């Protein structure tokens, strides 16, 4: 009988949900414990990356390398030029891609990964600033780099304490902390993110112009003296969750949203259907031009805590754009 078959037979007595909960507990404690380890080295590492005119190169072997690839990808997509380098490939020629201005981040839980240690003489001679993420403050790697970020874990989630589990999760979290600190320092915004993600729906939407995303057909116009029943019917038929109050469909007098409608009903239930559009509208709503970028529209809506903008230009009301 194969090992797989033996294990499968024994598995009938296991509580898989309990195992999953135990893994989550161990790994969440590992990540939470990192907060106590953040010190001046973390701030110095962030400052070094900010001041660098080069790239941030992330390097690691095995599972650490896989985590390093994700950290590098996160840095690159959030404003810090970065790429991953495999240490064995680096030792066999890829070091030619390393410029003296580059920051070098080495990842090794033990801090004794031979493939990384043998790169250090070149990096020192090349003038690179070095950062290490390890779980051992006394390791060779921790002692030989300029900035050491300690990523300790009390135990792995693996019952044999062999497979990297909690340690890789904690390392990934430390990488995310670096990326987010750098984002905050660079004032990295959603429209910057979109520029690096043109293939995704967010990138396409935020790099587009308002005219490309706005709704311009069958706009829900309502006269200012229209009664509540007509307002409700117009909003329902318009399917935008709003009505545009305008006398001539050229000048915006106000806007009525679902929220405005509910507030009007709550404040005057008895005479709600006798009220008119001008009684419940929000006058002088926020508007935007059709040639503005969608990134500007999204930021404007977030700033004013709204979900729609009326699009206007010199010719009048052109449409409605929404989140």
């Amino acid at each position: 009988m194969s090992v797989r078959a033996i294990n499968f037979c024994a598995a009938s007595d296991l509580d898989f949900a309990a195992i999953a909960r135990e893994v989550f507990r161990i790994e969440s404690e590992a990540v939470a414990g990192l907060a106590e380890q953040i010190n001046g080295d973390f701030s110095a590492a962030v400052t070094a990356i900010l001041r660098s005119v080069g790239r941030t190169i992330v390097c690691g072997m095995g599972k650490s390398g896989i985590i390093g690839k994700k950290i590098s990808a996160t840095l690159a997509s959030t404003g810090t030029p970065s790429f991953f380098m495999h240490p064995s490939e680096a030792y066999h020629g890829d070091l030619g891609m390393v410029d003296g201005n580059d920051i070098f981040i080495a990842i090794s839980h033990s801090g004794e990964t031979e493939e990384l240690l043998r790169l250090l003489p070149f990096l020192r001679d090349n003038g690179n600033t070095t950062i290490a993420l390890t779980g051992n403050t006394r390791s060779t790697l921790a002692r030989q780099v300029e900035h050491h970020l300690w990523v300790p874990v009390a135990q792995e989630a693996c019952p044999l304490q062999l497979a990297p589990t909690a340690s890789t999760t904690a390392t990934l979290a430390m990488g995310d902390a670096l990326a987010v600190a750098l984002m905050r320092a660079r004032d990295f915004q959603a429209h910057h993110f979109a520029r690096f993600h043109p293939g995704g729906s967010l990138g396409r939407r935020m790099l587009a112009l308002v005219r490309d995303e706005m709704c311009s057909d069958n706009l829900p116009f309502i006269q200012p003296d229209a009664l509540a029943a007509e307002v409700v019917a117009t909003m329902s038929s318009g399917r935008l969750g709003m009505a545009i109050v305008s006398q001539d469909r050229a000048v915006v007098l106000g806007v009525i949203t679902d929220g405005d409608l509910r507030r009007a009903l709550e404040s005057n239930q008895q005479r709600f259907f006798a009220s008119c559009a001008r009684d419940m509208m929000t006058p002088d709503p926020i508007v935007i031009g059709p040639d503005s970028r969608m990134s500007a529209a999204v930021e404007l809506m977030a700033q004013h805590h709204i979900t729609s903008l009326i699009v206007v230009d010199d010719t009048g009301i052109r449409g409605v754009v929404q989140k």
Side-chain angles (χ1 to χ4, degrees):
M1 184 179 290
S2 69
V3 173
R4 181 177 297 180
I6 293 171
N7 289 343
F8 180 77
C9 293
S12 60
D13 296 327
L14 295 177
D15 184 341
F16 296 124
I19 293 172
R21 285 191 287 269
E22 179 69 0
V23 171
F24 298 151
R25 181 190 66 79
I26 292 171
E27 298 203 1
S28 63
E29 288 178 359
V31 172
L34 294 180
E36 300 176 4
Q37 312 309 327
I38 297 297
N39 54 30
D41 258 344
F42 181 85
S43 298
V46 172
T47 300
I49 296 172
L50 283 172
R51 290 177 176 173
S52 172
V53 295
R55 292 87 37 97
T56 298
I57 303 170
V58 184
C59 196
M61 280 292 293
K63 305 297 188 297
S64 292
I66 294 171
I67 295 300
K69 289 179 182 179
K70 194 277 179 185
I71 292 173
S72 177
T74 300
L75 290 170
S77 67
T78 55
T80 299
S82 177
F83 65 89
F84 176 80
M85 177 176 287
H86 193 284
S88 293
E89 298 297 333
Y91 198 65
H92 289 279
D94 281 2
L95 284 175
M97 295 188 290
V98 182
D99 183 80
N101 293 312
D102 295 336
I103 304 290
F104 196 91
I105 298 179
I107 302 175
S108 168
H109 184 60
S110 68
E112 300 295 345
T113 303
E114 180 183 352
E115 291 87 349
L116 288 173
L117 295 178
R118 62 188 183 183
L119 299 179
L120 295 179
F122 167 84
L123 296 171
R124 281 193 295 268
D125 184 67
N126 202 44
N128 297 104
T129 297
T130 52
I131 301 169
L133 277 65
T134 85
N136 185 355
T137 58
R138 298 181 179 181
S139 65
T140 304
L141 189 58
R143 289 184 285 106
Q144 293 193 11
V145 296
E146 292 165 83
H147 308 293
H148 176 240
L149 304 184
W150 189 27
V151 188
V153 295
Q155 61 177 320
E156 297 286 5
C158 166
L160 302 177
Q161 297 302 298
L162 296 175
T165 46
S167 58
T168 47
T169 301
T171 301
L172 184 60
M174 183 65 80
D176 286 343
L178 279 173
V180 172
L182 290 163
M183 288 177 68
R184 295 284 294 273
R186 300 184 196 280
D187 193 26
F188 193 85
Q189 299 295 325
H191 61 277
H192 298 128
F193 186 87
R195 287 183 61 83
F196 298 141
H197 297 76
S201 59
L202 173 65
R204 289 195 301 271
R205 181 173 170 82
M206 296 195 71
L207 290 175
L209 299 179
V210 167
R211 67 168 66 253
D212 300 323
E213 299 289 331
M214 71 182 185
C215 174
S216 57
D217 296 328
N218 301 315
L219 295 177
F221 286 107
I222 194 81
Q223 292 287 321
D225 56 354
L227 294 177
E230 186 179 349
V231 173
V232 172
T234 299
M235 290 178 64
S236 297
S237 63
R239 298 175 181 263
L240 294 176
M242 62 174 295
I244 305 169
V245 184
S246 176
Q247 192 77 51
D248 55 9
R249 300 196 173 197
V251 178
V252 182
L253 299 178
V255 64
I256 302 173
T257 65
D258 287 333
D260 293 325
L261 210 59
R262 288 194 301 273
R263 285 185 288 272
L265 181 59
E266 290 169 357
S267 64
N268 191 9
Q269 294 185 25
Q270 298 298 323
R271 294 187 51 79
F272 172 74
F273 285 101
S275 60
C276 61
R278 66 163 52 89
D279 299 326
M280 60 185 77
M281 74 179 186
T282 298
D284 302 319
I286 306 297
V287 299
I288 195 167
D291 293 322
S292 299
R293 286 202 178 273
M294 273 302 300
S295 57
V298 170
E299 289 183 8
L300 193 58
M301 285 186 272
Q303 179 184 349
H304 292 277
H305 307 289
I306 55 179
T307 59
S308 302
L309 289 173
I310 298 175
V311 184
V312 301
D313 64 11
D314 293 340
T315 65
I317 301 169
R318 299 288 306 278
V320 173
V321 66
Q322 298 182 309
K323 280 187 177 179

